Amino acid sequence: MISLLNVVLAVTPTPDPDFDPNTVTPGVVGFIVVFLIGAATLLLGFDLVRRIRRTTYRAEITARLEAEIAERDADQSTPKTPGDKPE
């Protein structure tokens, strides 16, 4: 393990004395890449919300239709007056 550490330290170059790590920036290309990733994430979020909302509306409509059908079937099977018989 110590020999591996010695090899890594021997291969690692010494930093340039004029190099300031605080002035290193990703530049314009880095800004564009980060901006595009953020925009894609935002658009995917809007698409996700739209799809979830659509699915929720479909489930609500299906439940309403099933309730209306059950109500209609219940009305048809119960007699309206004491003399009526169910069909």
Side-chain angles (χ1 to χ4, degrees), residues 9 16 22 26 33 38 43 64 75:
L9 290 177
D16 185 17
N22 295 326
V33 169
L43 291 174
R64 285 182 190 172
D75 286 344

Side-chain angles (χ1 to χ4, degrees), residues 2 10-11 14 19 21 26 29 31 35 38 40 43 47-48 54 57-58 60-61 64-65 68 71 75-76 80 84-85:
I2 295 176
V11 174
T14 58
F19 177 73
V29 175
F31 173 76
F35 180 78
L43 291 174
D47 185 53
L48 176 70
R54 186 185 313 157
Y57 290 155
R58 284 182 183 168
E60 288 176 4
I61 290 172
R64 285 182 190 172
L65 289 174
E68 288 178 6
E71 183 181 338
D75 286 344
Q76 290 178 353
K80 304 239 187 273
D84 289 344
K85 293 184 180 176

Side-chain angles (χ1 to χ4, degrees), residues 6-81:
N6 288 335
V7 170
V8 170
L9 290 177
V11 174
T12 306
T14 58
D16 185 17
D18 296 334
F19 177 73
D20 183 14
N22 295 326
T23 61
V24 177
T25 63
V28 175
V29 175
F31 173 76
I32 291 172
V33 169
V34 170
F35 180 78
L36 290 176
I37 290 173
T41 303
L42 187 68
L43 291 174
L44 285 172
F46 281 130
D47 185 53
L48 176 70
V49 168
R50 189 185 86 221
R51 289 174 187 267
I52 289 173
R53 191 173 290 149
R54 186 185 313 157
T55 303
T56 303
Y57 290 155
R58 284 182 183 168
E60 288 176 4
I61 290 172
T62 303
R64 285 182 190 172
L65 289 174
E66 289 174 355
E68 288 178 6
I69 290 171
E71 183 181 338
R72 183 190 65 199
D73 291 344
D75 286 344
Q76 290 178 353
S77 64
T78 58
K80 304 239 187 273
T81 60

